[in-house]
Amino acid sequence: MDHDNSLLGTLWRHLEASGFQTAIQQHLPPGTDLQQGFQEFKLLAAKLGLEAYEAEVRGVPLCTAVGDEQNFPTLFRIHVGLRDVFTLEIPKELQGWAEQSMALGASSSDEFQKHLGRMATDSTLAAGERALARFALFELLCASLFFADYAERGQLAAFGVERCDLEALAQKNLTLWLQLPAEQAVEVRPLNIMLAGAMESLMVRGEIIQQQVLTWNVDMVAEAQQRKILERRLQEMNTPDALLIRNAVAGLGLLDEQYVTIETLQEQHSIVLGGTKRNTLDQRFKRIKVSIADGKWPKRKSKAIIDLALPQFPTEDEE
């Protein structure tokens, strides 16, 4: 593993250095083999690389591929799953590790993104490995924009900026970075460069929208305010609760999203909902509806990754 310079090998070494294996091993059943888990993770990465390369060959941008469950199921599942994990309550046994990793992550993050940049532009690499590195950069940029959106507390959604808009912005800046001469690209931290470009575009768009808001009528302003409040409340929920409520609200036509059955919701968000029985989800949804009817919107009871990344926003137990 020490001499494995693949993307997965590098990531595994970063996890080892962060103490992840030690932290999680203490809470797994005796005899659990993390190395076996790593091998399964490598198989998943191979599927991701192949699908990312297929999208590249077919001329399908990643921002489109990650939303195409039928043709790119692995890209779809991982993209959705990563987004879901950011607002998922961290198990208590891993909170200490997560806090320490976030505090120490800046320097290792720089090294990792530079490594990704080299792999994403290395013409000597296998096509699947190179495509996997590009997908990883895309996801890191999407995550950064997700955090920026969260920090706005629903304001972007109120202005009509949807998740697909942020994904398209990530794609645009990834494409621009990949067009740099290879020798120039490897000398910079790619994520920092792409994020700076994306945030600049987002600021310009925000300024344009703010000018348009001046022409809105009372009903449009009220609708935007309601959307902002809804997004803020969804942001504060544990992921399973937020998914159930967001889907229900979409079913009422209050969101520009497609309502799906609970079974489909489980399939689409398999990382956080896949192992839950349908009856359990039904009961959970009923409890949430009763709570909301009483004026008590559910909130996370413990920290999620997003709370560690943006500690200025308190969780329920800190308010």
Side-chain angles (χ1 to χ4, degrees):
M1 191 71 65
D2 291 339
H3 302 291
D4 183 356
N5 290 320
S6 69
L7 176 57
L8 269 295
T10 303
L11 178 59
W12 189 256
R13 286 195 297 274
H14 277 280
L15 288 175
E16 285 182 328
S18 73
F20 173 76
Q21 283 92 328
T22 302
I24 197 171
Q25 189 78 64
Q26 297 173 355
H27 304 281
L28 292 174
T32 300
D33 186 359
L34 284 181
Q35 288 297 327
Q36 178 61 35
F38 176 70
Q39 295 304 318
E40 294 177 3
F41 193 41
K42 286 181 71 173
L43 291 175
L44 174 62
K47 292 180 181 179
L48 283 170
L50 286 174
E51 286 190 11
Y53 180 58
E54 180 184 352
E56 184 179 319
V57 170
R58 291 170 55 182
V60 179
L62 286 173
C63 63
T64 301
V66 296
D68 187 346
E69 184 180 10
Q70 181 176 355
N71 292 306
F72 304 100
T74 312
L75 293 180
F76 174 89
R77 184 163 64 92
I78 295 303
H79 177 72
V80 171
L82 287 173
R83 186 178 63 208
D84 288 345
V85 165
F86 292 141
T87 53
L88 185 67
E89 293 175 358
I90 301 172
K92 291 183 178 180
E93 57 268 20
L94 291 179
Q95 285 186 10
W97 166 79
E99 291 174 359
Q100 181 181 1
S101 297
M102 293 294 290
L104 301 175
S107 59
S108 61
S109 172
D110 284 351
E111 179 187 343
F112 185 59
Q113 65 167 295
K114 286 180 181 179
H115 185 68
L116 278 178
R118 289 190 291 270
M119 295 184 68
T121 55
D122 188 348
S123 60
T124 66
L125 276 183
E129 187 79 1
R130 187 170 60 251
L132 177 61
R134 294 179 178 186
F135 173 70
L137 284 172
F138 171 79
E139 287 300 326
L140 285 171
L141 185 52
C142 283
S144 298
L145 291 173
F146 175 85
F147 287 1
D149 178 32
Y150 186 94
E152 291 296 323
R153 306 294 279 166
Q155 189 66 52
L156 293 180
F159 285 162
V161 178
E162 305 290 348
R163 291 173 179 174
C164 60
D165 297 318
L166 299 179
E167 292 160 357
L169 200 54
Q171 178 68 66
K172 174 186 175 182
N173 284 273
L174 173 61
T175 301
L176 289 173
W177 178 78
L178 288 172
Q179 291 172 351
L180 292 174
E183 62 275 9
Q184 181 180 348
V186 298
E187 293 299 324
V188 299
R189 291 173 292 179
L191 183 60
N192 295 42
I193 297 297
M194 290 186 285
L195 182 58
M199 292 303 295
E200 182 178 358
S201 297
L202 206 54
M203 288 177 62
V204 170
R205 179 169 179 174
E207 291 172 357
I208 294 173
I209 293 175
Q210 285 181 341
Q211 292 298 316
Q212 294 174 341
V213 169
L214 298 176
T215 67
W216 288 4
N217 60 37
V218 175
D219 290 340
M220 294 173 68
V221 172
E223 182 180 344
Q225 183 63 20
Q226 289 178 348
R227 178 66 190 275
K228 178 179 178 179
I229 293 172
L230 174 61
E231 286 296 333
R232 288 183 61 175
R233 287 172 170 168
L234 290 171
Q235 287 178 344
E236 294 170 346
M237 293 183 187
N238 193 22
T239 304
D241 297 340
L243 290 174
L244 291 170
I245 293 301
R246 181 179 288 277
N247 189 53
V249 172
L252 296 174
L254 301 179
L255 285 178
D256 189 21
E257 298 179 14
Q258 182 180 2
Y259 171 80
V260 297
T261 64
I262 294 298
E263 290 81 7
T264 299
L265 196 68
Q266 284 184 282
E267 292 175 2
Q268 293 179 343
H269 300 269
S270 57
I271 291 180
V272 297
L273 295 180
T276 308
K277 294 181 180 179
R278 169 61 192 272
N279 184 59
T280 301
L281 288 177
D282 288 341
Q283 293 300 318
R284 184 171 194 151
F285 183 53
K286 288 180 181 178
R287 289 195 299 270
I288 296 172
K289 286 201 300 183
V290 170
S291 179
I292 291 176
D294 290 339
K296 299 177 181 178
W297 287 71
K299 295 183 179 182
R300 287 189 293 279
K301 293 181 173 59
S302 61
K303 293 181 183 295
I305 292 175
I306 195 74
D307 302 312
L308 299 179
L310 301 170
Q312 65 268 37
F313 300 120
T315 52
E316 182 181 40
D317 57 343
E318 297 174 323
E319 293 181 324

